[in-house]
Every structure is written in C-alpha cells, then in structure tokens.
Amino acid sequence: MSNLATTISSKLANLSQLKQLHAHILQNSLHQQNYYVSLLITHCTRLNAPLSYARGIFESTRDPNAHVFACMLKYYSQLGAHSEVLCLYQNMQSCTVKADASVYTVLIKSSGYAGIVLHGHVLKLGHAQDRYVRNVIMDVYAKNIGSVELARKVFDEMTDRTVADWNSMISGYWKWGFEAEVCGLFDMMTERNVVTWTAMVSGYAKRKDLVSARRYFDAMPEKNVVSWNAMLSGYAQNGFAEEGLKLFYDMTNAGEVEPNETTWVIIVSLCSSRGDPNLADSLMKMLERKQIRLNCFLKTALIDMYGKCGSIETAKRMFEELGVYRNVVTWNAMISAYTRVGYLSAARELFDKMLKRDVVSWNSMIAGYAQNGQSAMAIDLFKEMIVTKEPKPDEVTMVSVISACGHLGALELGNWAVTFLTENRIKLSVSGYNSLIFMYSKCGSMKDAKRIFQEMNTRDVVSYNTLIAAFAAHGHGKEAIELMSKMRTEGIESNCVTYIGVLTACSHAGLLKEGWKVFESIENQAVDHYACMVDLLGRVGQLDEAKRLIDRMPMEPHGGVYGSLLNASRIHKSVELGELAANKLFELEPNNSGNYVLLSNIYASAGRWEDVDKIREAMRERGVQKTTAWSLVEYKGKMHKFIVGDRWHELSDDIYKLLAELKSKMRRLGYESDKSCVLKDVEEEEKEEMVGTHSEKLAICFALLVSEAGAAIRVVKNLRVCWDCHNAIKMISKLEGREIIVRDNNRFHCFIDGSCSCKDYW
C-alpha cells in the first residue's frame, strides 16, 4: 500500500484528486498512521488546500511524530500563519516530541527577525551544522540591515558552503544595496546556478540599472521562466515598455521557456503603460489563441490595461465577470479606470461599496478627485480617511492632498497637511518635496516654496521646473533665468517644460532681450516655445514682429500661439490682428468661450457694439457659453466662493455695505470705474454696477471682514482679473493697509500700498 500510495500521490494535480487519495487511505484504515498523514499534509501544502482540511488530516493521528509536525509546520508557514507555527511548536514540545533540524528550519523562517533568538538554541541542540538550518539562520540575519554583517560572519565560518548559501548572502547584500559586496561574492563563486544569475538581474533592475541587469541576463548560461520574468519586470517597473515587449517576443520566439501566469501579468502591465487600445486587443487575441486561463491576477491586470486605454466598458465587463473572486486590487484597478476618464461618481460608488479598503483604495479615489479638478472633494475624503484611522495615509496620499491644497490656493489647509505629515512621520521622496514647492507657490507663498527647494538634499528636473514655473507666475523673470543656469551647473538637463517656464517668466517680466536669447538657445523648438515667444513679443507691443514669427514657424501653429496673439491684441487694442487671431481660434477651438470674450472685449473697447452683438449671437448659435467667473477665499479651513453680484453668502449684507464704503473712499482719491470690459451696450450706471460687484471685489470685502487687522488676504480667481478690479484692488490695498495676493488664471498679482507686483503689465 505504501508504494502504491506514493505512486498515486506523485500524479496528483488538484485538490479533488488529493481527496480521492485521502478516501482510499481511509478505506484501508491507514489515516492514523504518521507516514500517510505526512504524505497528505505535504500535498496539502503543494496544492494550497484549505486550512480546515489540512488541520483535519493532522488531527486524525493520535501520536504525531516529528516528521508529521514538521510537515504541518511547513503548511502553516506557506500559508503565512506564523502565529499558528509558534502554537504548533509549543504543542510539539508539550507532547515531548523531539524536534529535528527540519522543524527549526521552518520555525526560524516563520519567526522572521525574532527567529534569531533560536540561533543559540540550535547551537545547544547540535543542529547548527545542518546545512538547511545554517542557511536559514544566515538568511534571517541577511534580511536585517543591522545584522547583515552577522550573516557574513556565519557565512565566513562555513567550511562547506553550498550554492544556496552564496545565493542567500548575495540576496541579503542586494536587499540593502551593497553592490560592491555582491559583485565581490559573485566573482568569488566557483559554481553558480540559475538562482545566482537571476539574483544579479533582479538586483540591478531594482537599482534601476537596466544596462547591467541586461548584461547579466544575456550572459546567463541557462534561463528559466523566473529569469525571464526578472528582466521583464525590471523593464516594466522602470517604464521601458518597448524594450520589455521586444524581450517578450524574443522569449516566445526562442520557444525554450513557456511564459507562466506571472509572465503574462508583467506583459499586460507593459501594454498598460503604452495605453494603446490596438496593442491591448492584439494581446488579448494572443491570450485567447494560446488558451491562457485568465485567473484573478491576470484579469485584474487586464482591467488596469483596458482602463489606461480608455476602454471602460471592457474593463467594467471583466470586473463584473470576476464576481466573488474580486480582491481589493481588482476594485482599486476599476476605481482608477473610472477616475482616469473622469467618471468620479461611478468611482465613488465602487469605493463606497468596498467591504475592505487598503491605502491604495483611498489614494486612488483622493487622486481621482484631485486630478479631475475636484480639489475640495479630495481634501474632504482625506479628512474622512484620517477619522477611520485604518489604513494610515502614506506619501502618495499626501502628494495628492498637498497638490489639491495648491490648486485651491488654500494655504491654511496646506500648512495643516504639512503638520499632519510631520506629526505622523511620513517621509517624503523628491516627488513629495516637489508637491510642497507646487503647493506653496500656488498659494502665493514664494518664501516657503524657495525654502523647501533649498532644503532638498536631492533635486530632479521636476523640482527645478516647479520652482521656475512659480517664478514665472509671480513675474520673477530674472530669478527663473538664474535658476535654469544653476540647474545646468548641477548637471540636470533642461527639458521642454523648463524652457516654457523660463520663457513665460520672461514674458510676465517684459524681458524681451533675455527671452530671445533663451528661445534661440533651444535646440528643438516646439510649438509651445513659439507660443511663449509670441506672447512675449505681443506683451511688449511688438505685435507685427509677433505676427512675422508666426508666419516663419516651421510647424502649424496651435491654439496657444493664436491665443497669445489675441491677448496681445486686447492689451494693445489692435482690432485687425485681434480679428485675425480670433478667426483662427474659432476654427481650432470652436467651443472655447474665452476666445469669443477676448474679441468682444476688443470690440467693446473700440465702441463697436454691433460687432459685440454678432459675437454674442455666434456664441448662441454654436452653443458656446461664457465661463462663469468666480473667486475663492480661505477662512477657517473652508473655501468661500463668490460670483459676480453674489448675494447668497451669509455675510452678504455686511460685504455690500463695506464695498459701498470702499467705493466712496476710492472716489475721493480719484477712482473712476473702468467699464471697458462690459460686453453690453447699456447705460453707464448699469455698467458701473456690473463691474462694481465682480467676484474678486466681493471676496476681498469678505476677507477684510473676517480676517485679523494687517493679515495678508489671498484670493484665487478662475479667469483673468479685469482692469477695473486691478485698479480698485491697488487702491484698497493702500486704504486698508493690507497685502492682497490675487492668483488669476494667468499669474499672481501682489498688491501692496497701492502698487501691484505685475507693474500693471499682465
């Protein structure tokens, strides 16, 4: 029976067949014999049998020996039930069963770093020379930074090292980034196996050194599927989709190793990063042709892929097909798919239905709100996350929240978020610090933005670009140019975004000579660089030169180029060029209401009211609606929103009373409302009423009412501030003795003592 059972067991492929063997053993009344109990538990481990089933087999023997205990310990260990391992070991000791070396191998593995305390125990019992025990002790030491030297000590004391010992030491050194030590050991090895070579490939891949990883991969005398997966994963995790897919085709063409489920998950992720629907469809056809079973992991990867390709219906169908087999990663993938295309209500519905959420679930939803212009919702959800206490926010969470605060211009909330990450000891990477620079600059606090930049130990191109963009928004042209020079001295190459930031800064500061110099230094000028240069020329009044530059462009101008020309025409009241630019924009951006409004402004300034009416009629015919202007002010952690003529706020009566008082004071100082921005041919008194209740004026009056005397006032507006409001705010800053910082959709205006940082040039 023993030989027969062994023969049958060697052919077991699934749980059903295991249960048939179990029934055969029961029929022959052999189920209490330790040999057969050990055999069944070993296959439970191999086939991932349910815990209740394996435990029932173990409990069927009345007098388990050391081997039965060892098999059950291995089952618990593979299951990750480390507490069960310890309980079973204590039970084994109470049964006075003498543990052999194999028991300590499992026990030390399951105990993690705590297993080190067993080192002395196995020494006393004489198991220290067992090669498996010795290897697992060294492995535990090697995986802990404070003990990696002890692992090397154990390794150096070995007189008969196996390849597994060398591999454990190499893996340990890789874990802590000790590349020199790894290479030293690798060169010393007289015998290497596929595990050794694969460890070198994955080690370099994790350090983002894919050139070295590929060199070791190509040098491998033999490769298994794990080796191929290590190199493919390296490409996938570092954003080299083309190289990864090419390597996969090499793998399939070689025909020596068949892809496994892990391979296919990696390949799907490579296709996901491309976001190419055609590539996604061809991959799906390949999976069908090869009859690959789509398990939960692979289907989850496919949901992510289709989500990134914008094929939401396909992603949704796969999500629903999984049914009860969906895990938290599957739900997260579907939430991300929805948020990526702006389906926030569908994403939130899924999020609310989740029985268990991890930090990725929260991050996906918070980032979804933040990236789709729902910054206030992102912050509200973050506050809800804090209340739940589990899971705890991480850096990814904080980057989304801090960025949301920046978009809102909510400095008070931003400082609260910074305090939270400090108190909770959330460490920030370069990306996290970049988000802080963005937040402070968007909230108008350049002092803090520069401070964060200076405090960074490591900076990347995004760090520089973020601060350069901040200088541009604040009109600090020379500082932006100087920062680009510093960037080069630190060995960081300028990219397309860098030049856009510096040229914009030159434009906002009126630095024509410097702007030309920067523009001409760009090797591969893009259309956006031309748009910036047209904007600079237009702002300084060189409209004809701006038009000539457009005519000389080696590529087709886009909306940004003509938008710059149209705005310059508005500033300098050039009707002819304004009409030319606007007509081009009506073709390129037929639904952009801002272009119609700018041309209307030009006509209104010239008193051409019939043309203003024609523009308004064209907007009606094309279904184009003017964007509603609004202004935000932060007070006690809440953003207060105002629109023109707004009387819904609870302090409206007080706001309008203060506004009337300020108008009276301003008139005594010679203020007259500038009604040129009114797009209707109406009575002068009505025009004055229209400009007099613009959203930024209401927002500033609210801030004056609720803030402390002398405190700076910060306002965020979604459109450009008009000439009348600009003049009025200058006077209010002088009358009230306040610094008033206004961020419109173009730049910052810092009003102090009757002057603006833009020098009336924007």
Side-chain angles (χ1 to χ4, degrees):
M1 177 60 194
S2 174
N3 291 334
L4 178 61
T6 304
T7 303
I8 294 172
S9 70
S10 65
K11 298 177 181 179
L12 296 180
N14 53 50
L15 185 59
S16 176
Q17 292 175 357
L18 174 61
K19 288 182 176 180
Q20 289 177 29
L21 174 62
H22 189 189
H24 187 65
I25 290 170
L26 285 167
Q27 286 173 356
N28 288 274
S29 301
L30 301 170
H31 58 284
Q32 293 182 346
Q33 292 187 21
N34 285 327
Y35 171 81
Y36 295 106
V37 171
S38 300
L39 183 71
L40 290 171
I41 294 173
T42 298
H43 287 294
C44 282
T45 304
R46 185 174 64 84
L47 297 172
N48 296 314
L51 174 60
S52 57
Y53 181 67
R55 187 176 282 159
I57 294 171
F58 173 75
E59 291 172 353
S60 67
T61 178
R62 295 173 184 172
D63 189 23
N65 61 16
H67 187 54
V68 172
F69 272 105
C71 290
M72 196 62 197
L73 284 167
K74 287 177 184 176
Y75 172 81
Y76 279 138
S77 179
Q78 180 170 301
L79 203 65
H82 302 312
S83 60
E84 297 286 355
V85 169
L86 295 175
C87 287
L88 188 60
Y89 175 67
Q90 290 168 357
N91 183 20
M92 182 180 181
Q93 288 181 312
S94 66
C95 293
T96 65
V97 175
K98 188 177 180 181
D100 60 17
S102 64
V103 169
Y104 285 100
T105 302
V106 179
L107 189 63
I108 294 168
K109 263 186 183 178
S110 297
S111 302
Y113 188 60
I116 288 175
V117 300
L118 294 167
H119 189 184
H121 195 53
V122 296
L123 283 170
K124 291 178 182 178
L125 293 171
H127 296 313
Q129 294 308 309
D130 181 273
R131 64 177 183 170
Y132 297 109
V133 174
R134 186 183 59 188
N135 181 266
V136 77
I137 287 172
M138 186 182 68
D139 193 57
V140 170
Y141 278 128
K143 287 177 179 175
N144 292 273
I145 183 62
S147 305
V148 69
E149 294 84 1
L150 293 174
R152 183 59 186 262
K153 185 178 179 182
V154 173
F155 177 79
D156 289 339
E157 289 173 354
M158 294 179 182
T159 55
D160 56 336
R161 302 184 191 111
T162 65
V163 177
D165 297 323
W166 288 85
N167 291 345
S168 292
M169 203 64 235
I170 283 175
S171 297
Y173 276 136
W174 268 131
K175 179 177 175 64
W176 304 109
F178 297 151
E179 182 183 342
E181 287 80 356
V182 168
C183 293
L185 283 180
F186 183 84
D187 292 339
M188 288 168 59
M189 292 180 73
T190 56
E191 180 188 355
R192 305 179 185 116
N193 61 15
V194 68
V195 177
T196 318
W197 288 91
T198 303
M200 297 302 289
V201 173
S202 58
Y204 276 113
K206 286 175 183 175
R207 289 176 65 83
K208 303 183 185 298
D209 184 356
L210 296 181
V211 173
S212 297
R214 185 60 185 264
R215 186 173 72 250
Y216 278 94
F217 178 80
D218 291 338
M220 291 180 73
E222 66 169 314
K223 302 180 182 79
N224 61 15
V225 69
V226 179
S227 316
W228 286 92
N229 289 348
M231 194 66 237
L232 288 168
S233 181
Y235 282 131
Q237 291 171 5
N238 289 283
F240 291 90
E242 295 290 343
E243 291 83 349
L245 291 171
K246 185 178 182 302
L247 182 65
F248 174 66
Y249 291 131
D250 292 343
M251 178 185 183
T252 53
N253 290 335
E256 297 173 3
V257 177
E258 279 295 311
N260 63 9
E261 291 177 348
T262 302
T263 316
W264 288 111
V265 170
I266 296 169
I267 298 309
V268 172
S269 72
L270 285 166
C271 292
S272 296
S273 64
R274 290 279 298 275
D276 183 347
N278 294 326
L279 182 62
D281 289 339
S282 65
L283 174 62
M284 198 65 198
K285 288 175 183 175
M286 184 187 292
L287 291 169
E288 291 170 355
R289 189 170 63 253
K290 291 181 174 290
Q291 297 182 322
I292 304 300
R293 186 178 69 88
L294 302 182
N295 61 15
C296 177
F297 301 107
L298 190 49
K299 274 202 171 183
T300 297
L302 287 169
I303 289 168
D304 182 65
M305 179 186 74
Y306 278 113
K308 288 176 179 173
C309 292
S311 305
I312 297 301
E313 290 305 316
T314 307
K316 183 181 177 182
R317 175 174 53 78
M318 286 192 166
F319 177 79
E320 291 173 347
E321 284 174 358
L322 278 169
V324 295
Y325 296 102
R326 294 180 293 219
N327 58 26
V328 67
V329 181
T330 315
W331 286 79
N332 293 343
M334 195 65 228
I335 288 170
S336 293
Y338 278 135
T339 59
R340 193 170 284 111
V341 294
Y343 292 177
L344 297 180
S345 58
R348 185 57 186 265
E349 186 179 346
L350 276 188
F351 179 82
D352 290 338
K353 285 181 180 177
M354 292 181 75
L355 297 176
K356 183 181 179 182
R357 307 182 187 114
D358 62 10
V359 69
V360 178
S361 315
W362 289 90
N363 289 349
S364 298
M365 199 64 240
I366 291 170
Y369 280 131
Q371 292 164 8
N372 284 279
Q374 298 292 328
S375 298
M377 291 292 289
I379 294 168
D380 287 343
L381 188 59
F382 172 63
K383 290 177 179 178
E384 188 179 323
M385 181 184 188
I386 294 172
V387 172
T388 63
K389 295 185 178 180
E390 288 293 338
K392 293 182 178 179
D394 60 11
E395 185 193 11
V396 177
T397 322
M398 299 313 300
V399 166
S400 293
V401 172
I402 290 167
S403 298
C405 293
H407 284 294
L408 283 174
L411 184 59
E412 186 183 329
L413 277 171
N415 284 330
W416 166 75
V418 172
T419 300
F420 178 87
L421 69 87
T422 302
E423 290 177 348
N424 288 272
R425 299 178 182 178
I426 299 172
K427 293 184 179 180
L428 295 181
S429 63
V430 174
S431 175
Y433 283 108
N434 291 344
S435 69
L436 284 176
I437 296 170
F438 171 83
M439 185 271 288
Y440 280 124
S441 66
K442 293 293 279 185
C443 291
S445 182
M446 283 301 296
K447 179 182 177 182
D448 286 315
K450 288 187 282 187
R451 174 179 57 80
I452 295 296
F453 181 84
Q454 293 296 337
E455 289 175 357
M456 292 175 71
N457 294 322
T458 304
R459 306 182 188 103
D460 60 11
V461 67
V462 178
S463 313
Y464 278 93
N465 288 348
T466 306
L467 191 56
I468 286 171
F471 281 138
H474 286 264
H476 300 162
K478 291 183 179 178
E479 289 88 338
I481 296 170
E482 289 170 3
L483 190 59
M484 184 172 70
S485 298
K486 181 181 179 181
M487 179 180 182
R488 289 170 178 166
T489 61
E490 292 195 4
I492 299 176
E493 287 295 318
S494 304
N495 61 17
C496 179
V497 177
T498 314
Y499 289 117
I500 291 171
V502 175
L503 288 172
T504 302
C506 290
S507 181
H508 286 172
L511 303 177
L512 181 59
K513 181 181 176 182
E514 293 85 346
W516 268 122
K517 187 176 179 181
V518 171
F519 180 75
E520 289 169 351
S521 73
I522 304 172
E523 288 185 17
N524 299 305
Q525 295 160 342
V527 65
D528 287 334
H529 301 136
Y530 277 92
C532 292
M533 203 61 217
V534 169
D535 187 63
L536 172 53
L537 288 165
R539 285 175 186 273
V540 298
Q542 295 191 17
L543 272 68
D544 292 336
E545 180 60 31
K547 175 64 171 58
R548 282 193 290 272
L549 182 62
I550 294 173
D551 294 338
R552 295 198 307 268
M553 286 177 64
M555 72 285 287
E556 281 295 314
H558 63 21
V561 175
Y562 287 112
S564 295
L565 185 62
L566 178 59
N567 185 53
S569 302
R570 176 191 65 84
I571 294 170
H572 299 287
K573 297 179 172 56
S574 175
V575 177
E576 184 180 346
L577 271 181
E579 288 177 326
L580 183 150
N583 287 328
K584 290 285 188 180
L585 287 166
F586 294 157
E587 295 175 10
L588 294 169
E589 303 171 345
N591 296 315
N592 186 339
S593 64
N595 299 325
Y596 296 88
V597 172
L598 281 176
L599 184 57
S600 292
N601 281 332
I602 294 171
Y603 284 144
S605 296
R608 291 171 54 171
W609 298 108
E610 287 185 7
D611 290 318
V612 171
D613 290 338
K614 287 179 182 177
I615 293 296
R616 292 168 64 82
E617 182 61 31
M619 290 177 71
R620 278 194 295 270
E621 289 177 357
R622 298 174 189 179
V624 179
Q625 292 187 340
K626 182 179 180 297
T627 303
T628 301
W630 48 255
S631 295
L632 296 176
V633 171
E634 183 183 21
Y635 177 60
K636 289 188 176 180
K638 180 182 176 184
M639 303 307 293
H640 294 257
K641 187 174 184 177
F642 297 89
I643 60 173
V644 62
D646 190 354
R647 290 187 179 273
W648 290 102
H649 197 278
E650 59 184 13
L651 294 180
S652 282
D653 290 343
D654 294 328
I655 290 169
Y656 276 88
K657 182 180 178 182
L658 178 57
L659 183 58
E661 291 172 1
L662 288 172
K663 283 181 182 177
S664 179
K665 290 179 182 178
M666 289 191 292
R667 286 196 190 96
R668 287 198 292 271
L669 293 176
Y671 165 76
E672 289 185 11
S673 60
D674 184 339
K675 300 176 280 291
S676 62
C677 60
V678 178
L679 304 184
K680 295 181 181 179
D681 185 12
V682 295
E683 295 298 324
E684 290 297 309
E685 189 176 327
E686 190 176 347
K687 288 182 182 179
E688 186 168 345
E689 174 64 21
M690 288 177 178
V691 298
T693 59
H694 276 184
S695 63
E696 53 266 61
K697 291 190 179 82
L698 300 177
I700 289 168
C701 286
F702 167 74
L704 287 169
L705 287 170
V706 299
S707 62
E708 294 181 5
I713 292 172
R714 301 173 190 276
V715 176
V716 174
K717 186 175 180 181
N718 66 324
L719 302 177
R720 277 191 177 94
V721 61
C722 74
W723 285 104
D724 180 72
C725 286
H726 194 267
N727 290 331
I729 298 169
K730 283 196 294 185
M731 299 189 79
I732 293 170
S733 72
K734 185 176 183 66
L735 286 167
E736 297 296 314
R738 296 287 194 105
E739 178 184 8
I740 303 174
I741 302 166
V742 178
R743 188 188 95 195
D744 67 12
N745 71 336
N746 190 46
R747 63 167 297 157
F748 275 88
H749 301 266
C750 183
F751 300 90
I752 301 176
D753 196 28
S755 298
C756 180
S757 60
C758 75
K759 300 180 177 62
D760 297 342
Y761 175 86
W762 81 98

